[in-house]
Amino acid sequence: MRTKKFIESKNALRLGFGPRSRAFSLVEVVLSLGIVTFCSLTLIALIPEGLSSNKASREQIIALNLCRNIESDLKGTASTNTVSPLYGITIPLATSTVPNTNITTLYDSYATSTVSFSATRSSSSQYRFTVTLVGPTTSSPNDPVNAKIQATWPPSVTPLAPSTFSNPTNTTGTVNLDIAINRFGS
């Protein structure tokens, strides 16, 4: 009988039961739960910042792509035309002394998954585009038409003078694109 008790107590120690068993104390468990909670709350607090950063980045990419659409329209205009074919932007002619400047304001509008531009703001407009074209003072092919395209959002905000191209007040975002258009080349 004595041998049986000894064997049972030996098996209990081997299985982790009995006076020599090791376990986490209540303090260790509470401390580990506190660390896990702190880390989880920190990660949850970063989610809104990540979402707003993602939204701002998305808006900048869309505005830049729309600026590139306007750029393509300007660069695709034949050298014999003074009005761009898609958006009707007047391209200034060469003058002899003072550069000829033309400023056009366009708004985007969305209908059936297509984007178009017009001079009036619609309820679906998300961006305002100010296109400033400065014509060359000579008819040399080395003097291109300089274009500054500024996109601002929301579209209801009027940007500062387009010549400064600093960040307008009361805007959520701004994208500026400077290009040169060769009007006299082949």
Side-chain angles (χ1 to χ4, degrees):
M1 188 121 134
R2 218 171 187 212
T3 316
K4 189 174 181 185
K5 277 189 178 184
F6 178 73
I7 292 174
E8 285 178 4
S9 66
K10 198 173 186 183
N11 287 337
L13 287 176
R14 193 177 321 141
L15 294 174
F17 302 110
R20 290 214 222 145
S21 67
R22 296 270 175 173
F24 293 110
S25 68
L26 182 61
V27 173
E28 292 171 329
V29 171
V30 169
L31 187 63
S32 64
L33 284 175
I35 291 171
V36 167
T37 303
F38 176 76
C39 293
S40 299
L41 289 177
T42 303
L43 290 176
I44 290 172
L46 290 175
I47 289 174
E49 183 64 32
L51 291 175
S52 66
S53 176
N54 185 25
K55 181 183 178 196
S57 177
R58 184 183 140 282
E59 287 176 343
Q60 284 181 342
I61 290 169
I62 291 171
L64 185 60
N65 285 339
L66 294 173
C67 285
R68 294 283 183 197
N69 287 350
I70 295 172
E71 175 191 9
S72 295
D73 181 41
L74 292 172
K75 286 186 173 181
T77 305
S79 60
T80 56
N81 294 343
T82 58
V83 177
S84 68
L86 292 176
Y87 307 127
I89 301 169
T90 303
I91 299 173
L93 298 173
T95 59
S96 58
T97 55
V98 178
N100 189 4
T101 302
N102 177 35
I103 299 175
T104 305
T105 301
L106 298 173
Y107 297 93
D108 61 329
S109 60
Y110 300 90
T112 61
S113 73
T114 59
V115 179
S116 61
F117 295 95
S118 67
T120 58
R121 185 167 62 100
S122 71
S123 61
S124 67
S125 295
Q126 295 179 0
Y127 302 95
R128 174 191 174 117
F129 298 90
T130 304
V131 182
T132 304
L133 298 169
V134 179
T137 55
T138 66
S139 60
S140 168
N142 295 328
D143 290 338
V145 173
N146 293 316
K148 295 181 187 221
I149 304 169
Q150 181 184 44
T152 57
W153 59 93
S156 58
V157 176
T158 303
L160 299 173
S163 60
T164 61
F165 277 96
S166 59
N167 193 12
T169 56
N170 299 325
T171 62
T172 302
T174 298
V175 170
N176 296 315
L177 181 64
D178 294 333
I179 59 171
I181 305 164
N182 185 357
R183 297 284 297 153
F184 302 102
S186 55

